[in-house]
Amino acid sequence: MLIFNVLIIGGGAAGFFAAINTKQKNPNYNILILEKGKDCLEKVRISGGGRCNVTNACTDIDLLLKNYPRGEKELKSAFHQFKTLDTVNWFKKQNIVLKTEPDGRMFPDTNQSETIVNCFLNLAHKLYIKVNTQQTVKSLQYKDEVWQITTQDTTYFTNKLVIATGSNTKIWNMLQEQGHNIIQPVPSLFSFKIKDERLSNLMGISANVSAKICDTKISASGNMLITHWGLSGPAILKLSAWGARELFEKKYNFLVQINWLNNLSETETIKLLEDIKLINSKKRVYSFSPFSFPKRLWENLLYYVKISNEKNWADVSIKEIHSLAKELTQSIFVVSGKNTFKEEFVTAGGVSLKEIDFKTMKSKVLPNVYFAGEVLNIDAITGGFNFQNAWTGAFIASQNL
């Protein structure tokens, strides 16, 4: 009977990173990765629009933690062990240079996710890490200090087990049967379905806004993109992540408030519009906007508050200025559902963080079981933060296996 030193369930980012770093630290270990799909690293392959957003350039751990709606507290000690700079240096050792975009996202300089996929596959081959695909785990059993992992056609045996299965409901159910507490998984990163005349014919237009979920304390700011189905972009995705559980409970029917001027208040906007009325009295309102967002959006908002397209600024009434100021700073939209963001699917939920030792990533419930990645109740906003959680957890586990 072959007993592996380490068996890893999940052939994704966290699984491969755990396997490679474990083997590099323990060259004599016999390591196996089990993957249910036909191919490994599929999520890496499609992430970032096929470019793979490996990590983020944020090096301040306290600032980094602010990007995790769930896991912020627990990841603090973990990031002190393996942070974003360690990720950059790790890939540099593999001759992969990561480039930084203006928003802090980091990609391989080839702009190809295959660069990362091939790096992992080649290292696994070079280090003699065994990878078995199309292996669906049917049961987990601990007997005589050995874990037995049964798939549809084989039973594997291992001294130490790493669970890196991401959002896999069947594995969560098995872990629950073994004694782990599973926080109900719900979607985390998604865009909002909205049908509204103010957004008609504006697909592809973006604006820097502040936004909030009405009747909650959930707010965010940043770039927002108007799509043919509603609203998306970083500001909306932040709302979806921070509001994941509340919005799930609302069945994705709620109101969202948009301030098109980001940080300007209604009072400040009224003053600004009154000044414009005086200074640019002879200019047509529709053709002269004091704001930097797109002209078509400006026209749609003016039409919505019923300001005639024939009016000059001098003819705009105080009542109309107040209506416009309110619309610019407090547009209310009815959200009637959600859409998955691109090909990415991130969940809030998973193995309870109270049951994990974040100094080792070892289970406090099950013997010789370690966790890495999204199988845990950790999720982040977009920007490379979810991958960073995978690298960090996998590396810590590898150093303690």
Side-chain angles (χ1 to χ4, degrees):
M1 181 176 73
L2 173 62
I3 301 177
F4 288 93
N5 298 103
V6 176
L7 186 147
I8 297 165
I9 306 177
F16 267 81
F17 206 68
I20 290 164
N21 283 286
T22 301
K23 185 73 172 182
Q24 288 174 334
K25 187 174 171 66
N26 306 278
N28 296 325
Y29 271 19
N30 196 1
I31 298 175
L32 170 67
I33 296 174
L34 293 182
E35 166 57 37
K36 70 173 181 177
K38 189 175 73 170
D39 297 303
C40 294
L41 300 159
E42 278 303 287
K43 198 166 182 180
V44 174
R45 192 170 269 113
I46 65 171
S47 70
R51 296 167 63 208
C52 188
N53 185 183
V54 177
T55 187
N56 193 278
C58 180
T59 56
D60 184 304
I61 290 175
D62 288 334
L63 290 178
L64 182 64
L65 292 167
K66 297 299 179 188
N67 296 286
Y68 294 85
R70 281 142 296 266
E72 177 182 352
K73 177 184 167 188
E74 292 80 5
L75 283 172
K76 187 166 188 176
S77 63
F79 284 150
H80 278 288
Q81 293 188 66
F82 194 86
K83 52 190 179 292
T84 54
L85 190 58
D86 295 316
T87 300
V88 174
N89 289 333
W90 191 93
F91 281 102
K92 192 175 181 181
K93 286 179 183 176
Q94 317 309 321
N95 296 315
I96 294 174
V97 176
L98 301 181
K99 63 174 185 176
T100 306
E101 307 231 323
D103 59 4
R105 293 179 302 158
M106 300 190 77
F107 297 87
D109 63 356
T110 59
N111 270 333
Q112 296 290 325
S113 58
E114 289 297 325
T115 301
I116 306 299
V117 172
N118 291 336
C119 167
F120 287 157
L121 293 176
N122 292 338
L123 277 170
H125 179 74
K126 182 181 175 183
L127 293 167
Y128 299 101
I129 295 167
K130 190 172 177 60
V131 180
N132 287 1
T133 57
Q134 295 181 294
Q135 292 294 298
T136 301
V137 174
K138 299 294 186 181
S139 69
L140 304 172
Q141 188 179 4
Y142 190 67
K143 189 176 179 182
D144 300 326
E145 298 187 357
V146 173
W147 279 100
Q148 299 179 18
I149 295 90
T150 302
T151 66
Q152 75 275 17
D153 53 23
T154 312
T155 296
Y156 301 92
F157 303 90
T158 185
N159 291 318
K160 294 178 181 180
L161 180 63
V162 179
I163 311 286
T165 47
S167 304
N168 187 317
T169 304
K170 289 180 180 177
I171 296 295
W172 278 328
N173 290 341
M174 289 179 208
L175 291 169
Q176 197 160 32
E177 289 169 7
Q178 294 282 344
H180 264 292
N181 181 35
I182 305 300
I183 309 301
Q184 181 192 15
V186 299
S188 177
L189 287 181
F190 50 86
S191 53
F192 297 170
K193 284 185 180 177
I194 299 170
K195 192 171 183 179
D196 193 288
E197 63 178 322
R198 287 166 289 177
L199 305 179
S200 62
N201 303 316
L202 296 182
M203 185 177 70
I205 279 179
S206 62
N208 193 36
V209 306
S210 60
K212 64 175 289 189
I213 307 298
C214 296
D215 303 319
T216 74
K217 293 181 179 178
I218 302 162
S219 63
S221 60
N223 193 262
M224 184 179 75
L225 176 69
I226 300 172
T227 69
H228 65 273
W229 64 81
L231 297 175
S232 187
I236 297 302
L237 296 172
K238 286 177 192 174
L239 288 183
S240 74
W242 290 102
R245 296 215 164 272
E246 273 189 73
L247 300 183
F248 174 79
E249 288 166 9
K250 291 176 183 288
K251 297 181 180 177
Y252 307 107
N253 290 287
F254 57 93
L255 301 178
V256 62
Q257 178 179 298
I258 306 297
N259 183 338
W260 298 99
L261 307 181
N262 196 347
N263 56 1
L264 272 186
S265 69
E266 183 181 357
T267 303
E268 289 169 328
T269 305
I270 289 170
K271 176 70 169 66
L272 180 60
L273 292 175
E274 286 174 342
D275 290 344
I276 295 296
K277 177 180 163 70
L278 286 171
I279 299 166
N280 298 279
S281 57
K282 293 182 180 180
K283 292 182 179 176
R284 284 183 66 239
V285 180
Y286 270 68
S287 60
F288 182 77
S289 163
F291 309 111
S292 58
F293 53 70
K295 186 173 183 288
R296 278 189 294 153
L297 172 59
W298 172 246
E299 290 172 351
N300 277 19
L301 295 178
L302 289 171
Y303 179 79
Y304 184 74
V305 296
K306 297 180 171 59
I307 294 177
S308 167
N309 63 0
E310 300 299 323
K311 279 193 175 183
N312 289 337
W313 274 103
D315 303 320
V316 179
S317 70
I318 294 299
K319 184 179 178 182
E320 287 174 325
I321 280 181
H322 280 247
S323 295
L324 180 56
K326 185 164 187 177
E327 185 59 33
L328 286 165
T329 57
Q330 300 170 55
S331 284
I332 305 292
F333 293 94
V334 178
V335 180
S336 58
K338 64 175 178 61
N339 268 355
T340 302
F341 175 63
K342 296 182 180 176
E343 305 90 350
E344 296 181 30
F345 184 71
V346 175
T347 56
V351 177
S352 171
L353 305 186
K354 294 177 182 177
E355 300 170 353
I356 308 299
D357 178 357
F358 276 82
K359 291 179 181 176
T360 62
M361 300 310 292
K362 192 174 184 180
S363 168
K364 295 178 182 179
V365 176
L366 301 174
N368 298 324
V369 174
Y370 298 76
F371 291 96
E374 206 186 322
V375 66
L376 298 171
N377 182 27
I378 294 175
D379 63 285
I381 63 173
T382 56
F385 305 108
N386 282 299
F387 270 135
Q388 185 57 49
N389 167 50
W391 313 136
T392 294
F395 183 83
I396 294 171
S398 75
Q399 302 307 292
N400 291 279
L401 281 162

